[in-house]
Amino acid sequence: MTIERIYPTGLYRPPTYSPVVKAGNTIYIAGQTAMDVSGSLVGKGDIKAQVAQVFRNIMTALASVGASYTNLVKVTTYLTSDANIEGYRTVRSQFLINDLPASTLLVIKGLAREDMLVEIDAIAVVE
């Protein structure tokens, strides 16, 4: 099986891991936060703005391998507060409309930065 590490144009390039790994037909998207391509956090304190940026980042990652949201098979979401669940679900429903993936939602103590409210990682399959 061929393994390819991908650094999509339009995504922040982390120094310590690959944001996208393609192993055969399976695509692994590392946890995406609300970082824009320059590494700046979008939507400080605003769960809806952060979730929207995360889903835009996931779309960029998927597009880099010729995939889209319909190729998603699993997403795992990490929120730093249960008070943000409703806002998360509202925005998620604007991006994931049909062909819904399996999903896990966790409320955790914190993320890599204190001002990050959400992180989502994903798995997709392509033909």
Side-chain angles (χ1 to χ4, degrees):
M1 168 178 23
T2 302
I3 297 175
E4 183 180 358
R5 285 152 181 80
I6 302 164
Y7 298 87
T9 302
L11 277 187
Y12 171 70
R13 186 173 179 146
T16 58
Y17 62 90
S18 302
V20 180
V21 175
K22 183 177 181 189
N25 292 344
T26 305
I27 311 304
Y28 299 91
I29 300 171
Q32 295 297 304
T33 60
M35 303 288 269
D36 66 16
V37 69
S38 71
S40 297
L41 185 69
V42 172
K44 280 191 177 181
D46 182 344
I47 187 61
K48 290 181 179 181
Q50 286 197 20
V51 172
Q53 181 64 42
V54 170
F55 277 107
R56 285 191 295 270
N57 290 349
I58 291 171
M59 185 64 243
T60 298
L62 289 166
S64 75
V65 294
S68 70
Y69 290 126
T70 61
N71 296 98
L72 288 175
V73 295
K74 175 75 168 85
V75 294
T76 303
T77 302
Y78 307 89
L79 295 176
T80 58
S81 171
D82 60 356
N84 290 330
I85 292 173
E86 184 178 333
Y88 160 75
R89 288 183 175 154
T90 297
V91 176
R92 175 194 154 122
S93 69
Q94 296 167 6
F95 287 89
L96 302 181
I97 300 165
N98 297 311
D99 303 314
L100 298 174
S103 181
T104 301
L105 171 64
L106 303 158
V107 177
I108 61 172
K109 183 177 179 177
L111 293 166
R113 285 180 35 180
E114 188 176 304
D115 50 359
M116 291 178 175
L117 304 175
V118 59
E119 183 169 339
I120 301 173
D121 62 51
I123 301 171
V125 176
V126 293
E127 297 285 329

